[in-house]
Structure formats: structure tokens, C-alpha cells
Amino acid sequence: MSTFLLTFAVLLLVVVAMAVGYLVQRKTISGSCGGLGAIGVEKACDCDNPCEKRQARMKKEQFWQENKII
């Protein structure tokens, strides 16, 4: 029983550490393949001028890219 509790505690500690890391960095979760950017597509929508919501999101993403640690 003690082995189970120890294993559960370590697993819970790892999950909490990952959650705190995600909250601190505030980066979006992305897959390993790179998504549409890997094949040269700049944006998912077909619009020439994105909506205000999308522009705000792009501005925020650009800010995070300029200020990331690595």
C-alpha cells in the first residue's frame, strides 16, 4: 500500500508542477508537428483582414514571442 501511495504522490507532484509551469508561461499548447505553420500556411482563415478578436490574439502572440526566455 505504501508503494501505491508513494507512486500516486510522485505522479500528483509531477502533474502539479506541469500545471504551474503552464500557468506561469501562459503559452498555448502546441503539437510536435508544427500544425499549419509547418507547411507554410500563415493563418487558418481565408480573410485578407482578420477580425478584431484575431488581431488582438495575433498581437498577444507576437508579444509573447518577442519576450520569451529561450
Side-chain angles (χ1 to χ4, degrees):
M1 184 67 171
S2 63
T3 304
F4 172 75
L5 291 176
L6 181 64
T7 304
F8 183 74
V10 170
L11 182 63
L12 187 62
L13 182 65
V14 169
V15 170
V16 168
M18 290 172 56
V20 169
Y22 173 74
L23 291 174
V24 169
Q25 289 185 355
R26 295 210 186 263
K27 291 174 59 177
T28 57
I29 299 174
S30 61
S32 60
C33 66
L36 292 175
I39 60 173
V41 177
E42 291 293 323
K43 56 185 179 177
C45 65
D46 232 3
C47 322
D48 290 333
N49 190 14
C51 63
E52 293 175 12
K53 200 177 203 183
R54 174 100 174 144
Q55 287 177 353
R57 193 172 31 213
M58 288 169 42
K59 197 176 291 186
K60 183 178 178 183
E61 182 179 326
Q62 182 181 6
F63 174 78
W64 283 110
Q65 289 297 324
E66 292 171 355
N67 295 309
K68 66 182 179 181
I69 294 173
I70 294 178

